[in-house]
Amino acid sequence: MEENLVTVAIHTYDKAQILKSVLEFHGIDAYIHNVNQILPVGVRVRIKESDLPKALGIIEDMNSKEALEKALNELNQKPMVLLPIDFSSYSLKACEFAFPLAASFDAEVVLFHAYLPPSFTTMPIGEVINHEGKTEESALEMMEKAKKEFAALEEEIEQNIESGKWPRTKYRHVLREGVPEDQILGYADRHLPKLIIMGTRGSNQKDVDFIGSVTAEIIERAHVPVFTIPESVPLNKFEEIKNVAFSTSFDDKDLIVFDKMMSLLKPNNANIHFIHFDKKDDSWAEIKLSGIKAYFQENYPNQKFEYHLISGTDVLSAYNEFIHNNNIDAVVLTTHKRNLLARLFNPSMARNMLFHTDTPLFVFHA
């Protein structure tokens, strides 16, 4: 039986064509109806009903002129995985995941390194002025050092590819001077990677890193999905992720985030655990969880799902206990746009989890 078509937008013919192209780029079949060649207004863009949650997320992202320009640029762009690195051991761990994943959807890996020039240090202004020549020399030395480290890393990458450990995947490196998180986010906004992958120290990170962590800033502010991999995680390949905890707040945007997640994890055939945290038992939460269960059983009949309500006085402890008891390989979290003060004084769940768990995280911006 042919699936019903639903109208997602009514535009002029030109705008409808743009929306149709963007939807099809994201794997959604789109159709234009009621084309009026004399007066090209009131053109309907229609899609399959099952594609509606994914399409609504894409359309929402296109609402501003800036977002629309990004979407149009994305149409002509080869898929890309952005891999910020600092040449540490956990950067190499991230490479282990990035190369096979990029190969699975014919994407390019961009190895990205940004270094902070001496002029950004806390050195008193007088010292910077008095040692201006030395500062310039130090900046040059930093750049040359980074180039040498890139060469060594690329040699190691080639060894892993030649040995068959990693698939042959197109890659290149990008070197930038500036505040690392700003450079990474700026590059991501311009080039729209399918995913940002970052290695982390995991739960043994020092407290002093909490405010200034580059990874924490990226997961709070990035508009594309971010995947973080603690150095100590026993997994070595993306396809080994088989047990996923999806944290839900019963927000409609969770449906959009879930679809984005599935575009990355569908080949894994992973078991998805929907989890909702509440400080106390709430019968209304049970009802909402039942509604989610019915929705996903209908729309994803071949996917394995489990549903859990967790409670306690401390959300991090409850999550970590659940992760341990259910052998969770990765946790999916959603972040929302917040201002700087909110991020500093009321850290998001994603930021807290980054510093208090040794489990990989998928973080999506809603």
Side-chain angles (χ1 to χ4, degrees):
M1 182 177 178
E2 189 174 347
E3 190 171 350
N4 290 334
L5 296 180
V6 295
T7 299
V8 291
I10 301 175
H11 285 309
T12 63
Y13 180 75
D14 288 342
K15 287 186 177 180
Q17 285 283 19
I18 292 172
L19 177 57
K20 180 177 184 292
S21 297
V22 172
L23 292 173
E24 289 177 342
F25 175 81
H26 288 276
I28 298 174
D29 292 331
Y31 309 90
I32 291 179
H33 287 190
N34 299 345
V35 178
N36 187 330
Q37 299 292 348
I38 299 174
L39 186 62
V41 294
V43 176
R44 296 176 181 272
V45 180
R46 309 193 77 193
I47 63 169
K48 295 177 182 177
E49 192 172 5
S50 60
D51 288 329
L52 188 58
K54 182 177 181 180
L56 291 177
I58 295 167
I59 293 169
E60 183 176 350
D61 289 342
M62 292 173 59
N63 281 340
S64 71
K65 181 180 178 182
E66 182 183 19
L68 178 58
E69 289 174 353
K70 289 181 184 179
L72 293 176
N73 290 336
E74 188 179 29
L75 292 174
N76 300 314
Q77 180 175 293
K78 180 181 176 67
M80 180 254 288
V81 171
L82 182 58
L83 183 58
I85 58 173
D86 60 4
F87 308 109
S88 62
S89 56
Y90 42 90
S91 288
L92 191 62
K93 182 76 173 181
C95 287
E96 290 183 6
F97 280 78
F99 276 76
L101 178 62
S104 70
F105 45 78
D106 191 28
E108 177 184 37
V109 175
V110 175
L111 303 161
F112 189 99
H113 178 71
Y115 63 91
L116 205 59
S119 58
F120 277 83
T121 67
T122 55
M123 184 186 296
I125 293 176
E127 292 186 38
V128 175
I129 294 174
N130 292 335
H131 297 82
E132 186 177 359
K134 184 176 180 181
T135 298
E136 290 178 356
E137 182 182 2
S138 297
L140 182 61
E141 288 174 353
M142 292 174 72
M143 183 176 65
E144 291 302 320
K145 180 183 178 183
K147 288 181 178 179
K148 290 179 181 178
E149 289 179 311
F150 261 129
L153 176 61
E154 289 176 354
E155 183 177 342
E156 189 164 0
I157 289 171
E158 284 298 323
Q159 289 175 358
N160 282 307
I161 292 174
E162 292 297 330
S163 68
K165 184 178 179 181
W166 299 349
R168 171 63 63 182
T169 306
K170 184 178 179 182
Y171 67 92
R172 59 188 172 89
H173 74 253
V174 174
L175 180 61
R176 293 286 187 269
E177 179 183 289
V179 179
E181 52 266 44
D182 290 341
Q183 293 297 321
I184 294 166
L185 289 165
Y187 190 90
D189 281 344
R190 290 190 300 273
H191 298 278
L192 299 170
K194 189 175 183 71
L195 183 68
I196 299 175
I197 297 182
M198 302 187 73
T200 71
R201 294 189 188 95
S203 60
N204 64 347
Q205 294 181 87
K206 298 177 182 178
D207 290 340
V208 71
D209 290 337
F210 189 80
I211 297 296
S213 167
V214 173
T215 306
E217 283 299 301
I218 300 303
I219 64 174
E220 290 267 34
R221 296 164 54 192
H223 294 102
V224 297
V226 182
F227 180 54
T228 67
I229 310 152
E231 183 180 15
S232 60
V233 72
L235 302 177
N236 294 309
K237 297 179 181 179
F238 196 82
E239 55 264 33
E240 292 176 357
I241 297 174
K242 296 296 183 182
N243 244 1
V244 177
F246 186 100
S247 177
T248 177
S249 60
F250 303 130
D251 192 298
D252 289 344
K253 291 184 178 180
D254 286 349
L255 305 181
I256 299 169
V257 168
F258 182 85
D259 199 77
K260 291 179 180 178
M261 178 200 73
M262 288 300 292
S263 70
L264 297 170
L265 281 174
K266 190 173 182 179
N268 291 38
N269 195 29
N271 187 32
I272 310 297
H273 298 257
F274 279 98
I275 57 174
H276 175 75
F277 174 83
D278 208 323
K279 289 186 177 179
K280 58 183 180 179
D281 293 333
D282 185 354
S283 57
W284 184 237
E286 291 272 8
I287 295 171
K288 289 181 177 179
L289 201 62
S290 297
I292 285 181
K293 183 176 181 179
Y295 173 86
F296 283 103
Q297 283 179 338
E298 180 178 349
N299 288 276
Y300 298 88
N302 298 320
Q303 178 62 50
K304 294 176 290 185
F305 294 112
E306 294 184 30
Y307 304 85
H308 312 265
L309 288 175
I310 58 176
S311 60
T313 56
D314 179 70
V315 62
L316 284 172
S317 297
Y319 267 72
N320 280 325
E321 183 179 354
F322 181 86
I323 290 168
H324 175 75
N325 292 340
N326 292 275
N327 300 312
I328 298 299
D329 298 320
V331 176
V332 179
L333 299 166
T334 303
T335 63
H336 301 269
K337 186 176 181 180
R338 303 188 309 155
N339 62 34
L340 178 61
L341 289 177
R343 296 201 306 271
L344 289 176
F345 295 106
N346 186 24
S348 69
M349 183 62 185
R351 191 181 186 108
N352 282 327
M353 288 285 288
L354 178 70
F355 289 90
H356 295 93
T357 186
D358 290 315
T359 304
L361 302 176
F362 282 100
V363 182
F364 293 84
H365 192 279

